[in-house]
Amino acid sequence: MISVLKVIAPGFHTTVQDEGRRGFQHVGVPVSGALDRSGFTLANALVGNGQNASCLEIIGSGPELEVVSSSVRVALVGSGGGLDIVGREDPFIPSGQSIRLTKGEIVRVRLGGDAFCSYLAIEGGFDVPLCLGSRSTYTRAGFGGLSGRQLRAGDVLDGSIEDVAAREEVTLSEQRNLRFDQPIRVVLGPQDEYFTEDAIRELLSSTYTITPASDRMGFRLDGPTLAHKSDYNIVSDGIVAGSIQVPGSKLPIVLMVDAQTTGGYPKIATVISADLPLLGVRGAGRTVRFKAVSREEAEAIRRAEHQDVLSIIQDIRPVGEMQGINLKALYTCNLIDGVVDATA
């Protein structure tokens, strides 16, 4: 193991995550892994990693880190913020761009406030012990990642490269669209028959708000209640990420990547896998609308989403090519916000 980064300040909730721990739900072990699979994949691509290299998932506020290896290449993806490098003449590196740091340099992760979670990748990935085939942290049971917990001040993070090669840095060719206004698509069931027809209509026509009582296990939603036909208890059965449980409160809970593996409340619908990252980046206060699709449509959407991420990766460019005005990115910005009277 090669010591790469020392944690000066850990941020609000920073953990090591990869694609998750699959194949153990039958014995009660959640999948875990990155809440925002797309952001995680793009961060790894920017530093030249394979798609399952472990990253830091950052929620709430960013960490402050000191380079203790000869050099390290890092990239942040997921927010509108970036990296502040203490002591440099041009200290700010925007999200979506790689940068090589050298021993003794201190980097502060600045989150832009747009995304609930962001990802910091290093070239070669973070080297923590495999636990059931994954490096993902599951804090509720205290295993995986760095001793099964979020980062603390004084922790030293290991990597696999002591001194990364100097080369031209790269950037995403356009600002990532987090699609906060897009409806989250669901497949109804597996227990939609436990709900009234009005409840189904309410779910698919209403706007819900993510509450502060939300975390990697589940996003609790506030909004119109969803009436059960009778009892709200069922014999416990399997849970997958994206399951929408409705307990006795009649308010939906979307179960996320750290969700339990069984549950005894009826599930009115299931968020499709392609849209889980879109939900995962929405924090407390963000709104959610739902739209029903068929299983066949969900599978086609997932294939298209995978191709979209591959297209973004293929369009990664050297930073030098992106100097000057980037019209493609400019067209995504609201340049006239606040104009009241164009003739004044």
Side-chain angles (χ1 to χ4, degrees):
M1 291 186 179
I2 299 168
S3 296
V4 175
L5 295 170
K6 181 178 179 181
V7 180
I8 298 172
F12 177 72
H13 190 277
T14 305
T15 57
V16 177
Q17 301 293 342
D18 59 15
E19 287 187 323
R21 186 170 286 106
R22 301 186 182 278
F24 299 97
Q25 286 178 288
H26 67 292
V27 290
V29 179
V31 173
S32 298
L35 269 172
D36 174 14
R37 179 184 60 242
S38 300
F40 166 84
T41 300
L42 294 175
N44 271 320
L46 283 167
V47 295
N49 291 342
Q51 67 178 31
N52 196 31
S54 51
C55 296
L56 295 184
E57 181 178 86
I58 302 164
I59 295 173
S61 61
E64 182 175 342
L65 308 164
E66 179 183 355
V67 180
V68 294
S69 61
S70 295
S71 66
V72 62
R73 177 166 284 104
V74 303
L76 178 72
V77 168
S79 73
L83 306 174
D84 273 337
I85 305 168
V86 177
R88 288 204 179 185
E89 184 176 346
D90 297 313
F92 187 73
I93 304 299
S95 175
Q97 180 176 318
S98 69
I99 186 66
R100 181 176 182 265
L101 307 174
T102 57
K103 188 170 185 175
E105 287 194 300
I106 293 173
V107 58
R108 295 170 179 155
V109 178
R110 303 296 189 193
L111 303 184
D114 292 335
F116 178 65
C117 53
S118 300
Y119 295 89
L120 185 75
I122 64 169
E123 185 173 344
F126 289 97
D127 188 4
V128 296
L130 284 169
C131 177
L132 300 178
S134 170
R135 293 182 169 86
S136 283
T137 311
Y138 179 48
T139 57
R140 287 178 181 268
F143 61 77
L146 189 68
S147 302
R149 58 172 173 77
Q150 61 199 67
L151 299 192
R152 298 173 184 163
D155 284 338
V156 176
L157 298 166
D158 293 330
S160 59
I161 305 174
E162 164 63 29
D163 189 8
V164 299
R167 62 170 184 261
E168 188 169 14
E169 302 303 331
V170 296
T171 182
L172 300 179
S173 62
E174 60 182 283
Q175 186 177 357
R176 186 177 173 220
N177 183 2
L178 299 179
R179 292 180 280 175
F180 288 134
D181 294 331
Q182 176 178 307
I184 298 298
R185 290 162 289 192
V186 300
V187 174
L188 291 176
Q191 283 105 25
D192 52 312
E193 74 275 8
Y194 276 69
F195 298 86
T196 65
E197 291 182 3
D198 285 344
I200 301 294
R201 283 194 292 268
E202 200 74 75
L203 176 74
L204 300 177
S205 63
S206 301
T207 297
Y208 288 87
T209 302
I210 301 172
T211 74
S214 300
D215 56 20
R216 284 176 46 87
M217 183 175 182
F219 282 14
R220 293 180 178 270
L221 306 183
D222 190 23
T225 56
L226 304 174
H228 306 86
K229 285 182 179 177
S230 55
D231 194 7
Y232 57 83
N233 291 301
I234 63 172
V235 176
S236 290
D237 67 354
I239 294 286
V240 296
S243 295
I244 305 178
Q245 280 190 331
V246 184
S249 68
K250 300 181 182 180
L251 290 172
I253 303 170
V254 186
L255 296 170
M256 304 300 284
V257 292
D258 277 354
Q260 72 276 23
T261 59
T262 61
Y265 298 124
K267 297 170 283 294
I268 192 170
T270 306
V271 175
I272 68 174
S273 60
D275 282 7
L276 268 178
L278 300 182
L279 183 60
V281 296
R282 301 186 192 187
R286 293 283 181 187
T287 58
V288 180
R289 293 176 293 116
F290 295 105
K291 176 183 178 181
V293 297
S294 68
R295 187 179 69 177
E296 292 74 21
E297 289 173 318
E299 292 170 351
I301 293 167
R302 175 67 182 95
R303 290 191 291 269
E305 183 247 2
H306 177 67
Q307 289 302 315
D308 287 345
V309 172
L310 290 181
S311 296
I312 295 172
I313 292 172
Q314 290 167 1
D315 207 27
I316 288 174
R317 294 287 184 265
V319 172
E321 291 185 11
M322 303 301 293
Q323 299 301 319
I325 297 177
N326 182 348
L327 291 178
K328 194 172 183 180
L330 195 61
Y331 293 150
T332 69
C333 300
N334 181 6
L335 300 181
I336 59 170
D337 184 50
V339 171
V340 176
D341 186 348
T343 63

